[in-house]
Amino acid sequence: VGGNSSAVSVKYSISPGGSATSGGDYTSVSGTLNWAAGDLSSKSFTVPIFNDSLDEFNETILFGLSNPTGGATLGAQKTATLTIADDDPLPTVSISDANVVEGNSDSTAANFTISLSAASGKIVNVSYKTAQDSATSGVDYAFINGNTVTFSPGQTSKTVTVNVVGDTSPEPDEIFFVNLFNPTESTLAKSQGTCTIINDDGALPAGTLEFSSGAYSVNENGAQATITVKRNGGSNGAVS
């Protein structure tokens, strides 16, 4: 710009300070652009950009011009920024199911795996809380409300633990849930994990069957006699 009476040249290179990584996001370039006397055309150079599947923030490459020759000088626009726009989808987050034998005392860990469908270049957070079903919160397992798991860039798996309370009471297997909510830089896929607490104290009693009385009476003119059989001491399962 501003003259073309002699041949000129200028060096271009990548400057430090950009967020993109040479060799990972692009191929570093440098060189010299040349103009012959009388040449007012624009010159260009190319920067190879690598495509990847990593969800990440937009990244930048900084460029600078230096060492003009042939009497040319650098203009005000001697630096430039290239923004690499990310085009990858957010990863999804899921939670596994868990089975645990309750034990007779203290507590046993029920471990759930929370996983990302793909590594992310961002920090990913997701919150979780328990929800009761046939198992009772605070009695059969520890209540959790609003804990958060954090994935650093590159991490894809985390384990969360819910303590199951042991007892010696015969009972059926019981169920509670761990639900995911409030994901950041991700979306929910399988948002509910089911824990089955396996009873280890024997089955509930099926009960005993017997006549309700040892003696019944009815008048001979009665249409029918009703004899009653009762079930005592337990009601687990169907019996006959």
Side-chain angles (χ1 to χ4, degrees):
V1 177
N4 64 349
S5 62
S6 63
V8 298
S9 67
V10 68
K11 290 185 177 180
Y12 64 88
S13 61
I14 293 177
S15 305
S19 57
T21 302
S22 174
D25 299 307
Y26 66 93
T27 298
S28 185
V29 296
S30 62
T32 301
L33 301 175
N34 296 287
W35 286 260
D39 184 2
L40 284 175
S41 64
S42 296
K43 307 297 180 182
S44 63
F45 59 93
T46 59
V47 183
I49 304 297
F50 301 149
N51 190 18
D52 60 37
S53 58
L54 185 70
D55 177 56
E56 56 193 343
F57 295 107
N58 293 345
E59 297 172 308
T60 57
I61 306 173
L62 307 182
F63 300 96
L65 298 177
S66 63
N67 297 335
T69 66
T73 59
L74 294 179
Q77 194 64 62
K78 58 186 177 183
T79 62
T81 301
L82 171 67
T83 298
I84 305 174
D86 183 65
D87 62 353
D88 299 300
L90 295 174
T92 61
V93 59
S94 299
I95 185 169
S96 69
D97 297 324
N99 294 326
V100 61
V101 177
E102 67 175 359
N104 294 326
S105 62
D106 299 324
S107 61
T108 303
N111 295 317
F112 296 81
T113 300
I114 300 177
S115 56
L116 294 181
S117 60
S120 175
K122 306 172 183 176
I123 294 175
V124 174
N125 294 304
V126 65
S127 298
Y128 65 94
K129 60 185 177 181
T130 55
Q132 71 178 35
D133 187 73
S134 55
T136 302
S137 175
V139 176
D140 298 308
Y141 65 92
F143 174 69
I144 295 175
N145 184 24
N147 288 5
T148 299
V149 168
T150 298
F151 295 84
S152 297
Q155 293 182 326
T156 58
S157 181
K158 293 285 184 176
T159 299
V160 298
T161 297
V162 180
N163 288 327
V164 172
V165 181
D167 61 42
T168 57
S169 301
E171 57 190 347
D173 294 346
E174 297 172 308
I175 288 174
F176 71 90
F177 305 111
V178 174
N179 294 323
L180 303 181
F181 64 102
N182 287 348
T184 65
E185 304 298 349
S186 61
T187 59
L188 293 177
K190 183 177 182 292
S191 61
Q192 185 174 80
T194 301
C195 180
T196 301
I197 303 174
I198 301 171
N199 173 56
D200 61 351
D201 301 306
L204 290 171
T208 60
L209 306 177
E210 59 184 348
F211 289 115
S212 62
S213 175
Y216 300 86
S217 64
V218 65
N219 292 328
E220 67 176 356
N221 63 351
Q224 62 184 15
T226 300
I227 311 299
T228 302
V229 177
K230 62 182 181 179
R231 182 182 189 179
N232 293 324
S235 59
N236 187 47
V239 299
S240 65

